[in-house]
């Protein structure tokens, strides 16, 4: 019986896998870190939306006192929308982080997913601006950079396993 590396590649050598052992180019590493940072910030915002939904609903829809009997019911209904939005933000954050973690696999669809993640992260600036204006103004810059860096020639070369990446 032949030695096995656990992934179905035989002896674990890089034979047949010319991209093995090639270092990830700097623009791809930057994109990976940027996507992890965006995903991390989104995860924090998503958890905040889920855990503090009553206060967020009161702040966003202008209810001054969420504890007053007249306003409590409307804020509770809006809090459910905030929780739902928080879960969507968490799902998008997970998408970005998982995509970034899979970059060493060099699959073409990961480059497409990174570009799509940047486009999906852009509209979050409007939502974030409503709650935290400073973060909402800064958010489009890294989201646009994620789109641009995913479209660079170095990224294309990295995710096309048939060619050697540009150093």
């Amino acid at each position: 019986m032949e030695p096995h590396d656990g992934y179905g590649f035989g002896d674990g050598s890089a034979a047949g896998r010319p991209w093995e052992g090639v270092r990830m180019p700097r623009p791809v590493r930057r994109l990976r870190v940027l996507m992890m940072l965006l995903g991390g910030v989104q995860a924090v915002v998503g958890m905040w939306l889920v855990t503090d939904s009553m206060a967020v609903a009161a702040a966003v829809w202008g209810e001054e006192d969420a504890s007053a009997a007249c306003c409590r019911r409307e804020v509770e209904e809006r809090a459910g929308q905030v929780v739902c939005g928080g879960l969507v933000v968490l799902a998008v954050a997970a998408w970005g982080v998982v995509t970034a973690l899979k970059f060493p696999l060099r699959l073409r669809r990961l480059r497409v997913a990174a570009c799509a993640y940047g486009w999906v992260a852009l509209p979050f600036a409007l939502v974030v601006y409503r709650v935290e204006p400073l973060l909402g103004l800064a958010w489009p810059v890294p989201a646009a950079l994620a789109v641009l860096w995913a479209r660079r020639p170095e990224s294309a070369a990295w995710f096309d396993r048939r060619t050697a990446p540009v150093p």
Side-chain angles (χ1 to χ4, degrees):
M1 183 169 216
E2 294 182 18
H4 192 270
D5 68 354
Y7 296 102
F9 293 118
D11 64 354
S13 68
R17 295 176 286 164
W19 63 87
E20 213 45 54
V22 177
R23 187 167 182 189
M24 193 180 299
R26 178 168 284 166
V28 178
R29 283 184 298 196
R30 287 182 187 156
L31 173 61
R32 187 178 190 201
V33 170
L34 181 69
M35 287 180 63
M36 286 186 190
L37 288 174
L38 280 171
V41 170
Q42 279 182 325
V44 169
V45 169
M47 286 301 295
W48 174 64
L49 290 173
V50 169
T51 59
D52 203 14
S53 60
M54 290 287 284
V56 172
V60 170
W61 281 283
E63 300 298 330
E64 302 300 325
D65 185 17
S67 62
C70 66
C71 304
R72 184 121 177 114
R73 181 162 174 85
E74 184 177 344
V75 171
E76 286 175 354
E77 291 171 3
R78 299 286 190 175
Q81 294 173 355
V82 172
V83 169
C84 185
L87 293 175
V88 169
V89 171
L90 285 172
V92 172
W95 172 27
V97 171
V98 169
T99 300
L101 289 174
K102 290 186 173 189
F103 273 19
L105 295 177
R106 298 183 67 182
L107 301 173
R108 287 185 198 167
R109 63 181 171 230
L110 291 175
R111 180 174 171 241
V112 173
C115 190
Y117 173 74
W119 280 112
V120 169
L122 273 171
F124 279 106
L126 299 173
V127 176
V128 173
Y129 181 78
R130 180 84 171 150
V131 178
E132 182 59 45
L134 184 61
L135 186 59
L137 289 174
W139 189 264
V141 174
L145 284 175
V147 173
L148 293 174
W149 288 351
R151 297 177 56 107
R152 291 188 64 172
E154 296 91 349
S155 297
W158 172 257
F159 290 108
D160 185 12
R161 292 198 232 182
R162 293 175 292 181
T163 60
V166 177

